[in-house]
Each structure stands twice: as structure tokens, then as C-alpha cells.
């Protein structure tokens, strides 16, 4: 069909505009998953699933040594001043604004002396004005921020009453631009609200199973290409409440180093043994699988009941893509199960927006548990788990979230339905596909321009999450404030969420961003990068070890 | 215009110094304390080097049997004889 051909040729053109810094790995070793498709000619008639996908390499460029030294020196000096201020507070020369124990409790075990509280009192509070900024409009491509000042160095804030308007939004997870308030597009949402109301007042198991929920689940299953799906009200709860239903004691979870807190919480709640493998490192994973199968459970040496590999599609702090074909090979060889969390990648990668399975040309039925959220690309709230019918039916009765959590609210469900229909093209327009292509184009444009300017950018060339490394804590605060002054809202991330020396600014590209907005952002970044001096890149290649030489999994061809 | 440019440049250099040492995040009085301490230490280093480095250099040269300061004219004549 016409759209498929245009998608195919667009992919060709994307591949041909390769950037000098991108080391494109031709998956000659991973051609296993092409099986029948290996003989398909690369002509226009090729379907998206049949064209071999080239996975660009993730880049994790290392900063020059002086940057690491300066970062540690920064932290050292600020920590010294932190101790000095704590001393003043203890002596009584200064009032302590943070919570303190009462006089009578001073001799008990101290509550606020650990490093977390010290960090919060002395480091985080100094730059606290860069987070939790109150927004007073829709978080679309531009939004309005309420102006907020502090008279006592960020211990308390007060709103001046003015609004900063038309701030370009580079922080919201609005990948396909579905966070919109256009009345024409939201007609169905209004109708469904009129029919069902807003509150459901029950759980799915009791009286909260509305017909619109069933419609949503059928649609999600069709969208992903699997047998069945189930939707939950909260994305975080989808992970943390369903993993305990899938694995328990006597099972092994192999989880990636940089997994999200929800996955870690779910894994811990389940009671299974957790082993962590290095980020995206297939040799580490294979070694662990071999060792698990050979030795079995820790003391009894019985076989593990289940081995579950937990990975994410796109890792939100690094912007790196999972190595899906290799993991599938390992999974088949060692008979493990795969749990794929596509929170950021569903709708955002892949030629027609179906996530990492489509991006790599892999059949989604090969992944055992497909999980995703509706918060990011669909502009709503909630999460889903999809897979075989037996799995989803089991979860319907055994998952905490299904049994105890209130069902999703009807307007939210209708928003997801309309978003999925838009992406699939079922509503008769090509708007969804246009957005998916626009997102891919914006991503490539932003990433390539930022790399050319000399910033250190982590992650894969196709991921819409773009972390820009700042390293020094002083520059983190200065960067965020200066960008707000230029009317661009960015999210900066520091210590607890990232390693202590790798503070970063994280941009989330959206399909709703126009070329002019991206150009304005790039121009501001250029000027600011020179003014603050955060252009650390020396165009060195990745320091993570190359992994394609030594794995010995069998390829069935 | 030149004074204005210079002032802007000095302002930018001070900003860079604040960012690099990390005292950008501190309150102004803490910045003053840090600046005072740093300035004092740098001043002490400069003073010490001004007073003691020439003495040390002279002693080191004498130890190596080269002392062009007291026997400078002999040294110069020797050099001229050898080259000429």
C-alpha cells in the first residue's frame, strides 16, 4: 500500500543519512531473526517488518579527565561548606529550616544525620528552584510557568503572580504530541465522559469492568500484535504489582543494572532471587545464565523454577536501546523468560510506532511479557501488560493491581483509545503516522546537531530521550536557570537518580515540536554551551567494550 | 568600549571561576569566605615564592658547582674562550 511504501523509502533515506559519529552495526551476526526474510529484495515492496533494521551503536562518550577531577572538587568544597553550616546550626548561630528532632529526643538515635538528609539540607536545597516548577497550562510543546522567587535561598518559595508564557517544553514525555486540548480531537472523549461519567468507584474484579475497558484491551492487543492485553490504572503499579504475581520464591530474576525503580520494587516484593547484569552487556547476561543453570538455587542446588530476564526498551536516563535480538537468542538457548518494559519506547520508536519489537523486526509474540505505559506516548495515564492469553487471564485474577486497584477512569481510557486509533490509522487519517515520522525526524535532527556542536550525548541515535551531560553540580543549576531565562524548560537530573559524577540535562523530543522550536532550542544551547562551557566532547568513540566478538550463542539460520 | 569589553570579560571569567570551583551554589557570604581564604592562600604562596625562591635557586646552582652570580665574570670569559 502507499503508506507502507512511503515508510519503506523513508527508512532508506534515514539510513543513508548516516552521521559520521554513528557506528552502524550491520546485524550480520543477528540476521537469525530474519529467517524467511533474508531473501527478500530491498525494493519498495518490502514491508517494514521485512527490511533488516540497522541498530546504531549506543554512545557513551567519556569526558576528559579534568572534568572528573573538577566534579569531585566541586562536591568536596560544597560538602565542606555543608559541614560548616551544620556546625553553625548545631551551635545555634543559625536557624535550622529542615525538620529536627525535639529537644527531648536529642539523646535518642539521630534521625537526620545520614548522608541523604545531609545532601538534602546542604546541596539539594541550594539548587532546589530548578525542580517542581508550577505549570499553569497544558504540557504541550509550549507551556506557561508560574514565576516563583525565594527570599531565603530556596527554603521557601513565593509566587509573584506573573506567568512566564510560551516556554518551550523539552522535558515532558509527550513523544507523539497527544497531550493536546484541541476540541475536535477530543470529541469522543467528551462523549464517553457523558456516557460513563468520570468515577468508576470499583475495582475491575467487582463492578468496575466497563465495556470501554474491554474495548481498550482488545485494541491494545491488536496494536501490539499479541493475543491479549490487560490495562491498569498506574504505570508504576503495573510493574510493581504484577511482577510478584509472575515470579515468587525459587525463581531467578536477571535484571539490568539501570532498570527503573518500579521494576526493582516489583522484583523485591516478589521474593525471588535478584541478580544484576551490567547495562546492555550480553556477555555478563550469558555468564549469569550459564552459572544459574549449572549451579541452580543457592544452597540446595535445585533447578530454578523460572528465570526471568527484565529489561527496558529505552532506558530513560541513558537513552540507550535494549539489544533485543541478542537477548531473544539467549532466552531461547537457555530457556528463560523475557519481561520487556516498553514505557518510553512504545509509540516512540519503530517505523510505525509499535515499539522496540518493530524497530528490530522481531515478532512480538516471542517476548513473553510485554509491558508498557500509556503515560508517555499516548498522553494519558496507566499501563498495560500484554502477551499470551493464558498469561493475561492469569494476571486478571492473581495480580494485586487487578484485584485491589480502582479501574481506570473512562475519559482516560477513551483518550488512550483515540490515540491508539490515530497511530494505527483506523480513524481514517494519516495523522498518527505523520506524528511517528515527525518524531523520528526531530530525534535525528536534534541528536545530530547536538553532537556536531560538541556536547556529550548518551544513547542510541533513534531514541527520543536525549541526555546531555553536564557533570559539574554548579553547572547543573546554572544551566537550568539560564535556559529558563531564555524561555526553554529543561529537566536536569543530579545525584540520586544518576551516578554522582554524571549529572545531566535530559531532553525529551516531541512530535509536536516544530523545526523552528528545535532551532531556537539548538541556538540557545549553542550560546549557553559556550558561555557555561559544557561542550566537553572530543569525538572519541564509545568506551563500553565491544560485545560482538565473543558471544557464542547459536544462530539458527 | 574597551573598558566595557574588559569588564564583561572579567565578569565572565569570574562566573567561570564560580562554576568550576562549585561555589556558584553557595550563598554570597559563603562565597566571600571561600574567596577570602583562597586569596589569602594565594597571597601567602606568592609572598613565600618571592622571598625564598631566589635563595633556593642560588643554593641549588652553587651545589651544582655553577655559580654565575659571584663568579659570573669568570664564567662569561670561559664561555667566550671556548666558543672563540
Amino acid at each position: 500500500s502507499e503508506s507502507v511504501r512511503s515508510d519503506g523509502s523513508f527508512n532508506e533515506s534515514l539510513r543513508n543519512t548516516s552521521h559520521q559519529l554513528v557506528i552502524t552495526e550491520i546485524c550480520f551476526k543477528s540476521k537469525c531473526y530474519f529467517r524467511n526474510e533474508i531473501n527478500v529484495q530491498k525494493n519498495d515492496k518490502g514491508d517494514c517488518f521485512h527490511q533488516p533494521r540497522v541498530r546504531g551503536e549506543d554512545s557513551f562518550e567519556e569526558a576528559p579527565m579534568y572534568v572528573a577531577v573538577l566534579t569531585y572538587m566541586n562536591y568536596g568544597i560544597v560538602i565542606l561548606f555543608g559541614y560548616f553550616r551544620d556546625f553553625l546550626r548545631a551551635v545555634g548561630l543559625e536557624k535550622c529550616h529542615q525538620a529536627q528532632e525535639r529537644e527531648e529526643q536529642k539523646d535518642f538515635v539521630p534521625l537526620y544525620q545520614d548522608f541523604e538528609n545531609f545532601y538534602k539540607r546542604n546541596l539539594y536545597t541550594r539548587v532546589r528552584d530548578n525542580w517542581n516548577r508550577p505549570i499553569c497550562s497544558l504540557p504541550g510543546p509550549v507551556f506557561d510557568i508560574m514565576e516563583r522567587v525565594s527570599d531565603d535561598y530556596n527554603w521557601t518559595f513565593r509566587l509573584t503572580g506573573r506567568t512566564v508564557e510560551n516556554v518551550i517544553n523539552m522535558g515532558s514525555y509527550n513523544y507523539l504530541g497527544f497531550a493536546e486540548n484541541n476540541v475536535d480531537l477530543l470529541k469522543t472523549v467528551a462523549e464517553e465522559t457523558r456516557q460513563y461519567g468520570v468515577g468508576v468507584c470499583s475495582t475491575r474484579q467487582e463492578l468496575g469492568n466497563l465495556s470501554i475497558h474491554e474495548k481498550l484491551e482488545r485494541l491494545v492487543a491488536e496494536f501490539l500484535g499479541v493475543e491479549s492485553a490487560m490495562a491498569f490504572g498506574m504505570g508504576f503499579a503495573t510493574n510493581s504489582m504484577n511482577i510478584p504475581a509472575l515470579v515468587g520464591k525459587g525463581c531467578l530474576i536477571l535484571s539490568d543494572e539501570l532498570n527503573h525503580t518500579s521494576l526493582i520494587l516489583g522484583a523485591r516484593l516478589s521474593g525471588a532471587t535478584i541478580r544484576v547484569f551490567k547495562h546492555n552487556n550480553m556477555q555478563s547476561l550469558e555468564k549469569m545464565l550459564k552459572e544459574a543453570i549449572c549451579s541452580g538455587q543457592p544452597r540446595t542446588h535445585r533447578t530454578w523454577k523460572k528465570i526471568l530476564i527484565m529489561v527496558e526498551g529505552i532506558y530513560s536516563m541513558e537513552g540507550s536501546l535494549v539489544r533485543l535480538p541478542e537477548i531473544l537468542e539467549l532466552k531461547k538457548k537457555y530457556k528463560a523468560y523475557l519481561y520487556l518494559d516498553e514505557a518510553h519506547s512504545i509509540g516512540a520508536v519503530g517505523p510505525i510506532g509499535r515499539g522496540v519489537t518493530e524497530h528490530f523486526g522481531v515478532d512480538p509474540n516471542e517476548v513473553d511479557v510485554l509491558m508498557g505505559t500509556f503515560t508517555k506516548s499516548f498522553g494519558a495515564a496507566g499501563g498495560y501488560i500484554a502477551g499470551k492469553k493464558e498469561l493475561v487471564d492469569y494476571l486478571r485474577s492473581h495480580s494485586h493491581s487487578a484485584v485491589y486497584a480502582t479501574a481506570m477512569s473512562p475519559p482516560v481510557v477513551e483518550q488512550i483509545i483515540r490515540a491508539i486509533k490515530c497511530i494505527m490509522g483506523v480513524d481514517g487519517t494519516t495523522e498518527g503516522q505523520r506524528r511517528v515520522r515527525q518524531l523520528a525526524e526531530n530525534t535525528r535532527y536534534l541528536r545530530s546537531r547536538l553532537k556536531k556542536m560538541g556536547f556529550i550525548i548518551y544513547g542510541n541515535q533513534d531514541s527520543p530521550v536525549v541526555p546531555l551531560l553536564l557533570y559539574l553540580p554548579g553547572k547543573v543549576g546554572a544551566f537550568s536557570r539560564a535556559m529558563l531565562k531564555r524561555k526553554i524548560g529543561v529537566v536536569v537530573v543530579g545525584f540520586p537518580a544518576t551516578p554522582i559524577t554524571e549529572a545531566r540535562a535530559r531532553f525529551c523530543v516531541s512530535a509536536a515540536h516544530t523545526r523552528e522550536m528545535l532551532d531556537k532550542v539548538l541556538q540557545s544551547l549553542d550560546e549557553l554551551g559556550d558561555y557555561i562551557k559544557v561542550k566537553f566532547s572530543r569525538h572519541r568513540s564509545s568506551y563500553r567494550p565491544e560485545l560482538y566478538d565473543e558471544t557464542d550463542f547459536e544462530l539458527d539460520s | 568600549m574597551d573598558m566595557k569589553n574588559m569588564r564583561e570579560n572579567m565578569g565572565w571569567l569570574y562566573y567561570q571561576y564560580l562554576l568550576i570551583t562549585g561555589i556558584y551554589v553557595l550563598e554570597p557570604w559563603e562565597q566571600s569566605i571561600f574567596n577570602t581564604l583562597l586569596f589569602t592562600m594565594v597571597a601567602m604562596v606568592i609572598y613565600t615564592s618571592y622571598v625564598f625562591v631566589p635563595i633556593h635557586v642560588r643554593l641549588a646552582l652553587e651545589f651544582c658547582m655553577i655559580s654565575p652570580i659571584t663568579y659570573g665574570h669568570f664564567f662569561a670569559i670561559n664561555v667566550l674562550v671556548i666558543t672563540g
Side-chain angles (χ1 to χ4, degrees):
Chain A
S1 76
E2 182 60 59
S3 62
V4 170
R5 207 176 308 143
S6 64
D7 283 341
S9 54
F10 178 75
N11 288 340
E12 283 292 319
S13 66
L14 273 187
R15 260 206 297 285
N16 290 337
T17 57
S18 65
H19 192 265
Q20 72 207 23
L21 292 175
V22 166
I23 311 162
T24 43
E25 299 268 346
I26 310 292
C27 310
F28 52 88
K29 290 211 175 147
S30 312
K31 271 205 176 119
C32 49
Y33 55 88
F34 296 131
R35 290 184 216 107
N36 321 327
E37 289 90 291
I38 237 175
N39 297 323
V40 168
Q41 303 294 334
K42 264 210 276 192
N43 51 15
D44 295 319
K45 291 224 201 117
D47 189 359
C48 316
F49 278 110
H50 297 269
Q51 283 187 353
R53 289 297 308 180
V54 174
R55 177 185 186 275
E57 191 49 52
D58 291 345
S59 74
F60 289 100
E61 190 180 335
E62 202 179 62
M65 175 68 91
Y66 72 88
V67 174
V69 170
L70 286 177
T71 310
Y72 281 117
M73 188 179 84
N74 267 10
Y75 274 110
I77 291 177
V78 184
I79 286 178
L80 280 176
F81 271 97
Y83 279 124
F84 174 58
R85 294 292 291 270
D86 269 352
F87 167 71
L88 290 182
R89 286 185 196 114
V91 163
L93 285 170
E94 188 185 333
K95 176 167 165 268
C96 182
H97 296 267
Q98 206 196 19
Q100 258 183 323
E101 298 108 325
R102 297 204 331 244
E103 269 310 309
E104 304 86 27
Q105 294 173 321
K106 284 272 162 82
D107 291 327
F108 290 4
V109 173
L111 292 172
Y112 301 110
Q113 292 298 329
D114 55 347
F115 184 68
E116 262 179 54
N117 280 298
F118 174 83
Y119 182 83
K120 198 159 147 216
R121 257 196 319 266
N122 296 308
L123 279 77
Y124 174 68
T125 309
R126 295 189 196 272
V127 282
R128 199 161 75 110
D129 59 311
N130 296 316
W131 289 279
N132 303 328
R133 292 185 182 136
I135 296 172
C136 53
S137 81
L138 155 90
V142 291
F143 62 159
D144 304 334
I145 293 188
M146 303 188 69
E147 202 185 353
R148 174 172 81 143
V149 293
S150 172
D151 302 315
D152 51 357
Y153 300 106
N154 294 345
W155 286 103
T156 58
F157 292 105
R158 102 189 126 81
L159 298 168
T160 57
R162 281 192 291 271
T163 350
V164 184
E165 306 210 338
N166 287 336
V167 177
I168 297 182
N169 185 358
M170 294 304 290
S172 290
Y173 304 129
N174 187 16
Y175 297 130
L176 293 175
F178 281 115
E180 55 201 350
N181 54 2
N182 187 337
V183 179
D184 300 322
L185 300 170
L186 297 178
K187 275 207 176 64
T188 49
V189 179
E191 271 164 37
E192 299 291 334
T193 313
R194 227 169 272 137
Q195 183 186 352
Y196 289 104
V198 178
V200 182
C201 305
S202 186
T203 65
R204 288 292 294 280
Q205 284 230 335
E206 294 172 7
L207 292 176
N209 195 19
L210 308 174
S211 57
I212 199 175
H213 292 130
E214 311 248 318
K215 204 161 81 162
L216 170 68
E217 289 172 359
R218 272 197 300 273
L219 199 58
V220 169
E222 193 190 324
F223 178 74
L224 295 170
V226 289
E227 282 179 21
S228 174
M230 177 166 184
F232 304 93
M234 182 177 162
F236 187 99
T238 309
N239 268 334
S240 49
M241 298 291 119
N242 286 309
I243 296 176
L246 295 172
V247 290
K249 270 176 92 80
C251 302
L252 175 66
I253 293 183
L254 295 172
S255 117
D256 190 292
E257 203 179 18
L258 298 174
N259 268 343
H260 191 250
T261 315
S262 55
L263 289 164
I264 298 176
L265 184 64
R268 286 185 188 161
L269 277 176
S270 67
T273 312
I274 308 173
R275 298 210 180 130
V276 173
F277 63 94
K278 294 201 187 57
H279 177 59
N280 255 353
N281 190 328
M282 296 298 110
Q283 285 155 309
S284 172
L285 178 60
E286 190 173 10
K287 199 157 76 103
M288 284 198 178
L289 277 167
K290 274 189 187 151
E291 202 252 323
I293 293 187
C294 293
S295 326
Q297 296 189 27
R299 276 183 298 277
T300 57
H301 294 293
R302 291 192 196 152
T303 53
W304 294 103
K305 286 195 209 147
K306 257 180 265 191
I307 300 183
L308 185 68
I309 305 175
M310 285 202 317
V311 287
E312 291 189 35
I314 290 184
Y315 292 90
S316 58
M317 278 302 147
E318 316 281 311
S320 51
L321 243 55
V322 65
R323 293 181 195 271
L324 195 57
E326 290 92 323
I327 291 192
L328 285 174
E329 280 306 310
L330 282 176
K331 170 186 105 90
K332 277 188 218 122
K333 180 179 178 189
Y334 293 101
K335 299 201 177 32
Y337 297 102
L338 180 60
Y339 186 103
L340 180 64
D341 177 345
E342 289 207 77
H344 285 268
S345 54
I346 189 72
V349 291
I352 48 175
R354 303 289 204 264
V356 282
T357 48
E358 200 215 338
H359 181 86
F360 289 108
V362 160
D363 183 12
N365 286 306
E366 292 192 19
V367 180
D368 302 294
V369 188
L370 281 163
M371 178 264 168
T373 58
F374 299 121
T375 338
K376 317 297 189 311
S377 303
F378 302 102
Y384 66 85
I385 287 206
K388 298 231 165 344
K389 189 163 182 316
E390 294 93 38
L391 170 78
V392 178
D393 286 346
Y394 178 82
L395 279 177
R396 275 188 220 279
S397 45
H398 287 86
S399 148
H400 296 293
S401 189
V403 173
Y404 295 106
T406 313
M408 283 171 88
S409 179
V412 174
V413 176
E414 183 54 36
Q415 157 74 5
I416 304 168
I417 290 179
R418 94 153 172 103
I420 293 184
K421 282 190 176 157
C422 185
I423 300 177
M424 283 171 71
V426 168
D427 60 346
T429 64
T430 50
E431 178 64 17
Q433 289 307 307
R434 183 199 70 83
R435 289 185 190 203
V436 173
R437 282 197 294 271
Q438 181 74 34
L439 176 67
E441 198 183 303
N442 284 353
T443 306
R444 298 251 182 171
Y445 179 64
L446 190 76
R447 273 180 174 268
S448 61
R449 282 288 300 273
L450 283 175
K451 277 222 175 97
K452 276 200 196 106
M453 281 181 198
F455 292 104
I456 294 187
I457 307 284
Y458 274 7
N460 192 294
Q461 60 177 4
D462 293 317
S463 95
V465 175
V466 184
L468 190 155
L469 275 268
L470 297 171
Y471 297 102
L472 284 78
K475 294 194 181 177
V476 160
F479 184 83
S480 185
R481 285 177 198 147
M483 288 297 268
L484 187 59
K485 228 185 283 221
R486 286 158 202 260
K487 308 234 295 192
I488 300 172
V490 298
V491 168
V492 290
V493 204
F495 166 52
T498 64
I500 196 158
T501 45
E502 292 175 14
R504 59 199 72 175
R506 186 182 65 176
F507 297 103
C508 291
V509 188
S510 164
H513 285 136
T514 60
R515 188 52 80 93
E516 292 81 35
M517 286 183 210
L518 289 181
D519 282 335
K520 174 165 181 249
V521 169
L522 285 164
Q523 191 203 354
S524 308
L525 280 174
D526 203 1
E527 287 165 13
L528 205 58
D530 285 325
Y531 192 69
I532 292 187
K533 293 186 86 67
V534 278
K535 293 187 177 176
F536 298 120
S537 173
R538 289 184 297 180
H539 300 294
R540 275 203 318 201
S541 59
S542 149
Y543 73 87
R544 299 281 165 108
E546 280 306 311
L547 305 169
Y548 287 100
D549 326 344
E550 292 160 51
T551 46
D552 56 347
F553 46 75
E554 282 131 30
L555 308 170
D556 45 340
S557 50
Chain B
M1 269 329 276
D2 205 37
M3 279 311 292
K4 186 161 173 286
N5 269 351
M6 270 258 290
R7 198 163 290 174
E8 234 178 76
N9 220 12
M10 294 310 292
W12 180 77
L13 276 176
Y14 181 63
Y15 185 65
Q16 284 300 310
Y17 156 75
L18 287 181
L19 286 177
I20 285 176
T21 52
I23 46 184
Y24 174 82
V25 301
L26 299 178
E27 298 173 24
W29 59 275
E30 289 168 329
Q31 285 178 355
S32 314
I33 292 180
F34 184 84
N35 287 340
T36 312
L37 280 171
L38 192 68
F39 180 71
T40 315
M41 284 207 290
V42 168
M44 286 197 288
V45 165
I46 292 178
Y47 175 72
T48 314
S49 58
Y50 176 72
V51 169
F52 288 109
V53 164
I55 301 174
H56 285 304
V57 164
R58 186 173 60 80
L59 285 173
L61 284 176
E62 274 183 12
F63 181 75
C64 298
M65 312 287 201
I66 315 164
S67 70
I69 299 164
T70 49
Y71 308 112
H73 46 290
F74 291 130
F75 186 68
I77 288 174
N78 272 335
V79 166
L80 278 175
V81 161
I82 289 167
T83 53

